[in-house]
Amino acid sequence: MSEFSVTVPAVLPIIFNSDGTNTLPTNWQIENHSSIANISLTKVELDAKESGWKLLPKEQEIDELSADTKAMKFYMGKSSSDLALVTPDNEDGTIGSRAWENGSFTIPVESGKNVSFNVERGAFTSSESAASAFEMLLTFEFNK
């Protein structure tokens, strides 16, 4: 089995601002330290564990949520024009995923690739303390 080394930040910092906007990272990057092979991000999985958060399906309208609902639509992609919804994989929306074909989300040899995000969520009537909403698992494969 071949090994490869990648570096990604341990935390994806998203700030829910009091005015209803979100502050998202603009330089969150996956780094490929391999000197011999390009790798591809092929899947992202989110798991709310016990956080109380859930992922919303495409058809759910955000403005239908009551205030302080811990629910969101989470988008991820190679660029801001290529964002894809991470869709719920179970009935209650506590886990979700998004897959890419091998070769479509490539991180070249000895370089990095910025990842873009977007979040849609409802209103909150009070500030949220620092907390983790989801654990994120990224799956990589060598390019074919």
Side-chain angles (χ1 to χ4, degrees):
M1 176 180 192
S2 299
E3 292 185 15
F4 60 96
S5 171
V6 299
T7 300
V8 294
V11 174
L12 175 62
I14 298 174
I15 300 169
F16 294 161
N17 301 314
S18 60
D19 66 359
T21 63
N22 304 311
T23 301
L24 300 158
T26 58
N27 60 351
W28 201 82
Q29 188 175 85
I30 299 169
E31 296 177 0
N32 177 4
H33 298 283
S34 170
S35 61
I36 58 172
N38 294 340
I39 59 171
S40 288
L41 175 61
T42 56
K43 190 172 187 181
V44 59
E45 297 172 271
L46 299 178
D47 188 337
K49 301 285 184 187
E50 303 296 321
S51 71
W53 281 88
K54 69 177 188 172
L55 295 166
L56 297 171
K58 181 180 180 179
E59 62 275 3
Q60 174 72 53
E61 297 294 330
I62 296 295
D63 58 4
E64 295 174 354
L65 300 174
S66 58
D68 301 321
T69 300
K70 288 186 170 184
M72 70 172 77
K73 289 184 179 181
F74 183 83
Y75 300 86
M76 184 173 169
K78 297 176 280 188
S79 67
S80 58
S81 62
D82 184 49
L83 294 173
L85 180 67
V86 175
T87 56
D89 288 339
N90 62 356
E91 192 73 26
D92 62 5
T94 57
I95 60 171
S97 64
R98 167 67 168 108
W100 292 268
E101 290 198 27
N102 188 319
S104 68
F105 200 140
T106 299
I107 300 94
V109 169
E110 295 184 341
S111 66
K113 174 79 175 156
N114 281 354
V115 181
S116 294
F117 303 95
N118 192 25
V119 172
E120 295 177 16
R121 48 106 183 167
F124 283 85
T125 58
S126 61
S127 60
E128 283 285 310
S129 62
S132 175
F134 294 95
E135 286 187 11
M136 181 185 297
L137 174 66
L138 302 175
T139 303
F140 300 92
E141 295 179 17
F142 286 111
N143 278 12
K144 291 182 180 177

